[in-house]
C-alpha cells in the first residue's frame, strides 16, 4: 500500500489513491514554513520557548516542579506539577482558560500540567503563559500541608 515504486510503475491504474488533500495541505504548510525561515527558524524558536518556560519552572523555588532529567527534557511538551498543593492545578487550568490558554491538563498516566509548544505556537504565547504562571504563583501560595 505504501510502495511508491508500485505507484510509479502503474500509470493509469488505481492501485491505491494517495491522500491527495493531505499531501496538498502538507505542501502548503511546508512552503509557508520555508518562507518563515525553515528548520533553522523553528529550531531556534523551540529552543527559545522551552528555555523560557523551563527557566520559570526551575526558578520558582519548588513551586512548579518538573521531575524530568534536564538532559531528557522535551522542547515541545513540558510537564510540571504544583507539588506542594496539587489541588491548585485545577485552579491554574481554570484561570488559564480565561486567557485562552487551553488544553494544558496532563495525561492520566502523567498528571499535572502539560504545555505543548508546537511550531504553530508563537513565542508571544509562551511569554503570556510565563507571565500568567508568575502571577498565579504570587497570588496562590502553596503549602506543603495541602499536598495530596
Amino acid at each position: 500500500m505504501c510502495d511508491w515504486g508500485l505507484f510509479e510503475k502503474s500509470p493509469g491504474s488505481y492501485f491505491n489513491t494517495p491522500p491527495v488533500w493531505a499531501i496538498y495541505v502538507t505542501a502548503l504548510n511546508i512552503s509557508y514554513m520555508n518562507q518563515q525561515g525553515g528548520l533553522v527558524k523553528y529550531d531556534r524558536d523551540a529552543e527559545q520557548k522551552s528555555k523560557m518556560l523551563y527557566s520559570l519552572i526551575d526558578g520558582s523555588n519548588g513551586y512548579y516542579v518538573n521531575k524530568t532529567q534536564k538532559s531528557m527534557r522535551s522542547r515541545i511538551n513540558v510537564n510540571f506539577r504544583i507539588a506542594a498543593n496539587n489541588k491548585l492545578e485545577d485552579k491554574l487550568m481554570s484561570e488559564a482558560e480565561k486567557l485562552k490558554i487551553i488544553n494544558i491538563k496532563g495525561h492520566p498516566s502523567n498528571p499535572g500540567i502539560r504545555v505543548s509548544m508546537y511550531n504553530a505556537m508563537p513565542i508571544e504565547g509562551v511569554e503570556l503563559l510565563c507571565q500568567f504562571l508568575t502571577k498565579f504563583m504570587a497570588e496562590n501560595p502553596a503549602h506543603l500541608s495541602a499536598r495530596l
Side-chain angles (χ1 to χ4, degrees), residues 16-140:
N16 185 21
T17 304
V20 177
W21 178 251
I23 292 169
Y24 173 71
V25 171
T26 299
L28 290 175
N29 189 45
I30 290 170
S31 175
Y32 171 81
M33 291 174 77
N34 284 335
Q35 291 170 29
Q36 301 306 307
L39 291 177
V40 171
K41 179 233 190 297
Y42 289 98
D43 182 57
R44 185 180 55 241
D45 287 358
E47 187 68 24
Q48 182 179 350
K49 291 183 288 189
S50 65
K51 278 186 178 181
M52 198 182 320
L53 184 52
Y54 282 123
S55 291
L56 186 141
I57 292 167
D58 294 340
S60 71
N61 293 319
Y63 188 91
Y64 300 117
V65 176
N66 175 289
K67 293 186 178 182
T68 306
Q69 287 180 342
K70 288 187 179 183
S71 64
M72 303 301 285
R73 288 178 169 178
S74 170
R75 295 186 315 164
I76 305 300
N77 293 301
V78 177
N79 299 296
F80 61 93
R81 304 289 316 254
I82 302 176
N85 186 347
N86 298 147
K87 292 179 182 178
L88 282 174
E89 293 169 357
D90 288 332
K91 182 177 182 184
L92 184 144
M93 288 182 270
S94 175
E95 290 186 18
E97 271 189 43
K98 295 173 188 171
L99 296 174
K100 302 204 181 334
I101 301 170
I102 59 171
N103 299 325
I104 60 172
K105 183 176 178 79
H107 189 272
S109 66
N110 190 11
I113 309 296
R114 177 178 181 250
V115 175
S116 296
M117 301 178 291
Y118 296 107
N119 291 333
M121 170 56 69
I123 291 170
E124 295 80 12
V126 180
E127 289 171 345
L128 174 68
L129 172 66
C130 289
Q131 291 168 5
F132 165 73
L133 291 173
T134 300
K135 183 176 184 238
F136 185 87
M137 181 173 51
E139 294 175 354
N140 297 278

